[in-house]
């Protein structure tokens, strides 16, 4: 568990880790490339470790040197065992790469955080448009491409990040041209496309709603630096905000932070962006974050909503959240309530009445981002918070407890029951 003694006022500087949501599709893409790929700024996360195990099971050789991950691509198997698939939701992104690399793939439905229905139907229907035949039986997906992957026009019903990534990975070495309409526009998509183009791919329009992919015969590994983790950055920003702190984040891409700035500025924080750094200075008491509506990029990201709700919990006035991406994204509200927050949830709407202070309590992380939000709230709480379920947090944060300690928080990890 994490044991956090509050309140704590955060001060100092810290570097932001490489992005989890970029690293995982990049590792899948490495499967397509002949030779060696070197990913710099690769975070040490449990989800990344699972992705590495998947690559090794498929025949690749992987080794880590600090924050560099080296992948020597080879493939001896086209099946991912159930225990690895169920370890994380993003494992489904291997489907497109495997189908493209060896013309077939066999895997089961993925695992990950329980955030409500996240059907992979969009992934499957999109890949079928590229000529992939998919049999779903017994909880397994058996995919074949008898004629090879064929370029096609695919219009996504929703700008799904995972479905867009799978289509890109399947189409980059396809025969002909693929056009993806209503594609996801997240920075992580741009990072994937930049890597593939550096490897010899021809992907155009990254960051726009229409992607054009001219299939190439082969790709070759390269060196690539993983983009900074924008969700980890906003988590530390929220931690500074609730604690009345003043911190500087190094190694950030401020263009990625822009869609998340509004609640910080509305609540009275002063945010200064300086090249690859960001400074946030919080007032003694936060104001409300007013109205947050989660949307696909460039809207406010669902992954940032829990941490910002912790800010609203100790802010003056009323804040309203509307969650449009995941049904069960408010599971952290129960833990915040145990700490004294006033939150009323009705369907996809949560109304938060700010309180003057929270009280430390025994809480549990039900998912990755909700667990981080409870860590943030504990920094503003009087007394001790015991947070269990920290394995969820390790999926996406590289030593969050150590990072908070570096900024002055009193947080430690313990195995006590």
């Amino acid at each position: 568990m994490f044991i956090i003694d509050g309140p704590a006022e955060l001060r100092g500087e810290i570097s932001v880790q490489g992005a989890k949501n970029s690293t995982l599709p990049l590792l899948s893409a490495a499967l397509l490339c002949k030779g060696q790929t070197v990913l710099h700024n690769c975070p040490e996360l449990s989800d990344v470790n699972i992705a590495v195990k998947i690559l090794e099971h498929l025949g690749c050789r992987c080794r880590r040197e600090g924050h560099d991950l080296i992948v020597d691509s080879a493939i001896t198997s086209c099946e991912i065992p159930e225990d690895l698939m169920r370890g994380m939701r993003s494992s489904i992104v291997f489907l497109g790469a495997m189908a493209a690399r060896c013309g077939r793939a066999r895997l089961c439905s993925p695992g990950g955080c329980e955030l409500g229905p996240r059907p992979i139907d969009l992934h499957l229907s999109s890949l079928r448009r590229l000529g992939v035949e998919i049999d779903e039986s017994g909880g397994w997906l058996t995919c074949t491409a008898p004629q090879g992957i064929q370029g096609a026009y695919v219009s996504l019903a929703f700008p799904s990040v995972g479905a867009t990534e799978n289509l890109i990975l399947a189409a980059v070495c396809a025969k002909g041209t693929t056009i993806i309409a209503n594609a996801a526009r997240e920075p992580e998509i741009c990072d994937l496309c930049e890597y593939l183009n550096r490897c010899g791919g021809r992907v155009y329009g990254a960051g726009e709603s229409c992607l054009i992919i001219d299939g190439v015969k082969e790709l070759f590994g390269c060196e690539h630096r993983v983009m900074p983790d924008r969700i980890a950055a906003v988590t530390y920003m929220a931690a500074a905000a609730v604690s009345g702190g003043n911190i500087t984040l190094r190694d950030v891409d401020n263009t990625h932070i822009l869609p998340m700035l509004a609640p910080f500025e509305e609540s009275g924080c002063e945010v200064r962006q300086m090249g690859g750094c960001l400074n946030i200075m919080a007032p003694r008491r936060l104001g409300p974050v007013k109205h947050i509506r989660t949307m696909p990029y460039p809207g406010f990201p669902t992954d940032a909503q829990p941490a910002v709700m912790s800010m609203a919990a100790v802010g003056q006035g009323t804040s309203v959240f509307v969650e449009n991406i995941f049904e069960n994204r408010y599971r952290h509200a129960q833990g915040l309530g145990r700490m004294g927050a006033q939150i009323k949830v009705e369907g996809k709407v949560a109304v938060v009445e700010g309180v003057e202070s929270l009280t430390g309590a025994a809480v549990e992380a039900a998912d990755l981002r909700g667990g981080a939000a409870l860590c943030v709230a504990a920094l503003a709480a009087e007394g001790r918070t015991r947070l269990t379920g920290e394995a969820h947090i390790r999926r996406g944060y590289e030593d969050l407890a150590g990072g908070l300690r570096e900024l002055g928080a009193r947080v430690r990890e313990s195995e006590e029951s």
Side-chain angles (χ1 to χ4, degrees), residues 53-73:
K53 289 178 181 177
I54 289 175
L55 285 174
E56 291 175 337
H57 176 84
L58 295 175
C60 298
R61 295 192 305 274
C62 306
R63 72 182 189 277
R64 181 181 279 278
E65 296 177 0
H67 280 94
D68 294 342
L69 187 60
I70 299 98
V71 179
D72 288 304
S73 180

Side-chain angles (χ1 to χ4, degrees), residues 382-399:
E382 297 283 346
R384 175 165 291 181
T385 296
R386 287 180 167 85
L387 173 65
T388 55
E390 85 291 341
H392 286 293
I393 297 173
R394 297 184 203 280
R395 291 186 44 236
Y397 293 89
E398 186 177 78
D399 191 15

